[in-house]
Amino acid sequence: SSLVTFVVPQSGNELSTLKVTSIEGKTMMIRKIVSEQNTDLSSLPSGIYFCTITNSKGSSLVKLVKE
């Protein structure tokens, strides 16, 4: 499946920004998400991505490998 669930702890209903960047540094997707949300990554080709979630409390970076 190409659905990934991103969980933003202690965010309540605050909107966070999800930015998916390719390993080459190209922005592939930017979405607004809430505390726990499924995101469809089927439009992305296989590869290695960096997912950055940012809100008023800071940011978090996760490496994602899509096969």
Side-chain angles (χ1 to χ4, degrees), residues 5-65:
T5 302
F6 291 96
V7 178
V8 184
Q10 301 176 344
S11 66
N13 287 329
E14 177 185 0
L15 279 178
S16 299
T17 301
L18 166 66
K19 181 178 179 182
V20 180
T21 309
S22 70
I23 197 160
E24 294 87 14
K26 180 179 177 187
T27 299
M28 304 299 287
M29 175 187 299
I30 296 178
R31 297 265 193 279
K32 296 289 186 187
I33 61 172
V34 289
S35 59
E36 184 172 336
Q37 184 168 330
N38 290 328
T39 302
D40 184 3
L41 301 179
S42 62
S43 64
L44 300 178
S46 297
I48 299 172
Y49 298 93
F50 296 101
C51 303
T52 306
I53 299 172
T54 306
N55 62 23
S56 65
K57 294 181 170 81
S59 64
S60 178
L61 177 70
V62 176
K63 180 180 172 184
L64 178 101
V65 178

